[in-house]
Amino acid sequence: MPHLSEVRAALEDHRRLHLRYVVPSRDETTERDVDPMRVVSIDGPWYLEGWCHRAQDVRLFRLDRIEALSVLDEDGTPPAQARPRDLGNGLFQPGADDLRVSIDVAPEAAWVVDYYPTESVEERPGDVSRVTLAVADRAWLRRLLLRLGAGAQVVEPAEVAADVAGAASAALALYEES
């Protein structure tokens, strides 16, 4: 596993890390200084949990998404308010302010129910499942729905359905142009 030994050494020595980190949900690479708190393996991938100075909060970083890592000659002790996340219920912990989205999922997209945390799943006629998800990132949801194509349809809220339909139309227009 890339960077695992360096991260563990920095954690043991209380050293700050500088990361160049890929954020796939925003298709960007960021630079961050992180005070390591722990290293955990969750469902296969390894994660660094630490105090992120950029976010001024505790964050999880997948080790395989770290493009470059430097151990800094600075104290890496997290601030007193830094608390490890309770990972007993998985990585994504929906918040009260997160958007709730209902989608109808066809059998070819039913894997969504197994792969992502859902708030409810209701079986509907025609082998369709109505799935309600808590969503913290609308761009992530748009990409998921575009990937599912005809296998999923947004039921509510209406503005999300319109956003996804607009994105799909824009993507199809690019094919028509070429």
Side-chain angles (χ1 to χ4, degrees):
M1 171 53 56
H3 309 297
L4 183 59
S5 61
E6 294 167 288
V7 169
R8 283 183 168 157
L11 179 62
E12 186 176 312
D13 295 339
H14 301 281
R15 289 283 158 243
R16 184 168 295 163
L17 295 167
H18 180 78
L19 311 178
R20 190 167 65 236
Y21 188 73
V22 176
V23 184
S25 65
R26 292 191 306 266
D27 193 28
E28 69 179 6
T29 302
T30 62
E31 302 273 335
R32 297 164 182 263
D33 286 349
V34 177
D35 297 335
M37 295 167 58
R38 66 179 171 171
V39 180
V40 294
S41 176
I42 303 167
D43 297 329
W46 283 90
Y47 293 85
L48 160 66
E49 183 174 33
W51 180 262
C52 176
H53 288 267
R54 178 180 173 173
Q56 290 296 296
D57 202 358
V58 174
R59 293 289 188 264
L60 283 167
F61 302 94
R62 269 183 63 154
L63 295 190
D64 62 345
R65 293 183 182 155
I66 297 174
E67 284 188 344
L69 178 143
S70 304
V71 178
L72 303 177
D73 193 23
E74 293 183 45
D75 180 43
T77 303
Q81 72 266 29
R83 299 279 181 261
R85 294 172 61 175
D86 177 4
L87 299 173
N89 293 325
L91 284 176
F92 179 68
Q93 307 284 324
D97 294 336
D98 288 346
L99 176 67
R100 275 24 186 206
V101 177
S102 293
I103 59 174
D104 282 347
V105 177
E108 65 268 22
W111 60 267
V112 167
V113 174
D114 296 326
Y115 198 78
Y116 297 109
T118 60
E119 293 198 344
S120 67
V121 179
E122 174 190 339
E123 296 306 318
R124 310 281 292 182
D127 289 331
V128 170
S129 298
R130 180 152 299 162
V131 179
T132 301
L133 303 164
V135 178
D137 183 346
R138 285 180 183 236
W140 170 86
L141 177 64
R142 185 182 314 111
R143 282 192 307 278
L144 172 65
L145 291 166
L146 290 173
R147 188 167 103 201
L148 295 174
Q153 181 179 358
V154 177
V155 177
E156 59 183 351
E159 67 268 12
V160 172
D163 175 52
V164 172
S169 294
L172 290 172
L174 291 174
Y175 283 102
E176 292 171 3
E177 289 177 10
S178 58

